[in-house]
Amino acid sequence: MRRLLALSIALALQAATANVAAQQANVATDAIPPQSLDTALNTLSRQTGLQFVYNAQAGNPRTRAVPAGLSSEQALTQLLDGTGLRYRYLNASTVTIEADSEATPATPAAPAPATSPAPAGTSPTAQAVDTQELESIEVVGSYSRSLEQAVDIKRYNVGFSDSIVATDVADFPEQNLAEALQRMPGVTIERNKGMGSKVNVRGLPSEYTHVSINDLATASGSGGRDVEFDLFASEIIQQVTVQKSPTAADEEGGIAGSVKISTARPFDYSGRKLVVSAEGAHNSISEETDPKFAFLASDTWGDWGALVSFSHAERTNRTDSTSGINFRPMSRFLGASGTRGSQAETVIERDTGWTIDNRANTAESNLIVFQDKVGDRVYLNDQEKWGATASLQYRPSRTFSLTFDAMVGGYDTTEDEYDAAAYSASSRSTLETIHEYDDTTLSDYGMLVLRDVSYTATQHEFLSKERINKTDYGQYSLALDWNNDLWDVEAMVGYSGAEKTLDYSNLKHVAYAPSRTRWTGRSGETIPSASSGGFDMYNSPASYLFEAYETTLEKINDDKYAAKLDVTRKLELPFLPALRSVQFGGRYTDRSKERQYGELKITGPSAGDTSWVNVRTLADSPLQWIGDIVPGGDYSVKDLDWQQVSNDFARGYFRYPGFSTPFDDAQYYRVDEEVAALYAMTNFDFTLGRVPVTVNAGARYIDTSVTSFGYHPVQNPDGTIGYTDTPVSKDGGYTDVLPSFNLTAELADGLLLRAAGSETLIRPALGDVAYKRTASWSSFRFTDGNPDLKPTYAKQWEIGLEKYLENGGLLAASYFRKKIDGVVVSALTGVVEDVAVYNANGTLNGYYDFDVYQPVNAKGSYDVDGIELIANLPLATFHPVLEGFGLNANYTMLDSSLAGESDLGIRTPMPGLAEKTWNLTAYYENARFDARVSYNHKDEYVESIGYNMYPIWRDAYGQLDVSIGYRISDHLKLSLKGINLTDEETSGYTMDPSFPTMYEKSGRRVSLGLRADF
């Protein structure tokens, strides 16, 4: 197996006349657990100051454990015992590790003599041509080695964490970074049209996860705090760690956990490095083949190193879907005035025998439900994504480095959506005939479901929707690392920013006619009415009248500046030998997020013109069959075809010259947030009996200041509504102290007991903090943002056992519990007295007291607890015949005391919380060939609560992905990958599977790629 091992050594050899005896005084101060040889030597180098020259061809065997307090020679002897390797001093501070041709262990009594002088013209470096530097591992084409390195990171990290590195991120089937992360324990993703978009850690919302790149909190183009992971190309990412139990040194902001992303740096590699890859991917529904290209180039020369990487990908994803089928309360009809309400009551009682006592009572009418809009939809998502990194390092010695990192990118998507839909709850419609009803399935809730109904005037819609999303992001940082025998200093200054523009349009044509809407086996359908005149809704374009060409425009700017300083003082105190170091530092963050939004309807060929409304028909525009308007042919969910207006034509025709969408003052907000944080923590290392114990404990103090801006509405004397001339601002803020504790005890060789406890927080959503106000003049109510909102807090603890096996194997189990309080809800917070209200004609209506509703932190708390199981098993551990085979699996089970209780008293799990998730990867690899099969499963969960009454479930989803690779030569690898090979669909239902809400197919994706590395 081809393996490049990174070893922390200096290749500049010194004279052999140095004082060898002085080296015998070096002592390995800390115990070194059994692990791979490269990692063990790296640890011993830091403890003793020795520099190790290691020939990679000697292999990378598993070493034995080394207790604390041994001399360097004694430690080396124990490390190499049974490995077939020996050590040899080249000079006073440099030791070579090489094969022992006599298969006898090195003698600890005296180091071997230095090597003889090199032949003339040969430099000492040339003598060690096969050696490389240690401090990081570069994995080329080895999935098992990447798993082993991830296990090493987990083992030596403080607290509970999981990682993926190098090949595991860049070489496994995925369409973006979110999909790579879904294979980690406790991590699930939110899918949008078959693609991963946002990351959930341990079942909590994506907003509860803190994300950083190179230790710099990541800006986002979303309107909130959550990060859209589909922005990032996985090819430019070197390592991702999900930290689930924080230390005091970790930046706050993640109740669920912190996702720490690292990009590559030049000294991560031993010298010159060049990687180039190209790929073509085919989608089974769109039938399009999309290109992807990436490269990385890195080199070091003396004290300097430079690296650049670039990735560009195009994606054409098509999704065919039926959706929009939710319960709608019959209060929509029964609560109507006049004959519409009484007629609905008559039909229900006539056709179902259900007695209605008071049709105006919503507590009664909300228990009778019918099917809402049914839509047949085709989505076409064209993506262009690029990302680039650059890193410049100055490292004159092992103890000092100065690094400039840059990461920039762009994510442009155009999503075309074409709908043929029927809206049963039309304001013009009444009930005609109930053909089928269900009073048994949901009888425990006293509910009647109208399964099959004819309506007198269903609103049929043809919608051509276009969403153009352009996001640019960039971040730049300068980091300093310096250490000596007593001090470690890390410092960083940086900027992270994102700009997003979302341009949306919807061409809407409508026809009113009798129709019949009903549930089918996996979705719903609308057909002509059985008892009165109707029409073929899919093939009657002349019947559809133009209603509007609706447009919206949204712009978001997110800017973050940060600076941090971390200092560690190493200690050797005679009166407190267990205290190994104290660490303290601080961070300052200055963030500003601004959002602008506006909308406008075009109703004629010029501004203010309404001549197209109810005059122009769908047939007046050029039409194309849906199988021709998007690539891939016929609609795959049903045996249907229909004609629509393409979005390309709509944009060019309906947007008249000079058209622009104005921003709405009512939707504007800006939030400025400054955070100053200080922390201190201690690190203890001691032995209880024969059990080595490591403890990290500390506290973090944070001071957060918020200034929020928004426009406030005013009613003009003429009755019109306006807004303040300038944004109104308000300040808020809070201070907190967040303690943390992490403990690790090695109960036996490779068996770790780990425990952690901490308090952490997630800051309130920016839309809730935004100090903008909306008014309801008829109900005398203001709705404000609340800059005084406090964070949502979590007190959490976790305990687990981890057994580390040979060859990077791992078996782990942990139990965690989070107590979360301060969840944000809307509540009445005050009254504004004597507000002047005017009539539409400008006359004074009167002076009224207006209630003010704001987001507030709710009283009380809820618990989330769960179990995580992890197994990483190289099967050669059990029998040599299984060399190259392995399994990597994880399982997470969650529970929550918070119920998504509806207004009907229906208790459900917390929205978004899947009770069970699991991943299984089986792999085989040898020097030339590798193959992996992975299955990812997420249990069903409540997606939302319709009308605050009816739980809407998303069905369990499982996806099979495959990767096969063949190394043509030492520098060239061919790969074949498949995503969603079994062509799974996404589906959901309301309350019971017999009432489906959606059925969505995004197809499978198969790619062929070539990768060259030098």
Side-chain angles (χ1 to χ4, degrees), residues 318 359 361 524 544 661 719 960:
R318 174 175 161 181
R359 64 181 177 87
N361 180 10
Y544 286 83
T661 303
L960 181 69

Side-chain angles (χ1 to χ4, degrees), residues 546-606:
F546 175 91
E547 184 172 289
Y549 181 78
E550 303 169 339
T551 69
T552 65
L553 183 65
E554 181 179 25
K555 288 189 176 182
I556 296 172
N557 289 282
D558 189 7
D559 296 292
K560 295 182 179 179
Y561 298 87
K564 76 153 192 173
L565 176 65
D566 296 316
V567 179
T568 301
R569 177 62 162 89
K570 304 167 192 174
L571 300 172
E572 294 183 6
L573 303 176
F575 61 90
L576 188 57
L579 181 59
R580 295 299 177 145
S581 66
V582 294
Q583 186 173 338
F584 52 91
R587 179 186 289 262
Y588 173 78
T589 303
D590 186 352
R591 175 181 189 175
S592 179
K593 177 165 277 194
E594 182 180 56
R595 187 238 193 191
Q596 300 178 83
Y597 177 90
E599 57 186 37
L600 184 68
K601 290 184 178 181
I602 296 176
T603 54
S606 60

Side-chain angles (χ1 to χ4, degrees), residues 30 46 158 247-250 399 480-491 564-572 579-586 679-684 695-697:
D30 297 329
R46 289 194 297 267
V158 176
T247 70
D250 292 319
T399 62
L480 178 146
D481 294 279
W482 173 79
N483 64 83
N484 61 19
D485 293 340
L486 296 178
W487 297 93
D488 288 341
V489 178
E490 296 181 8
K564 76 153 192 173
L565 176 65
D566 296 316
V567 179
T568 301
R569 177 62 162 89
K570 304 167 192 174
L571 300 172
E572 294 183 6
L579 181 59
R580 295 299 177 145
S581 66
V582 294
Q583 186 173 338
F584 52 91
Y679 78 91
M681 65 184 191
T682 56
N683 294 286
F684 292 87
V695 173
N696 169 277

Side-chain angles (χ1 to χ4, degrees), residues 280-301:
H282 181 268
N283 178 263
S284 63
I285 298 184
S286 71
E287 299 181 357
E288 294 283 297
T289 299
D290 305 309
K292 181 166 69 172
F293 168 79
F295 80 85
L296 179 146
S298 177
D299 200 1
T300 59
W301 54 95

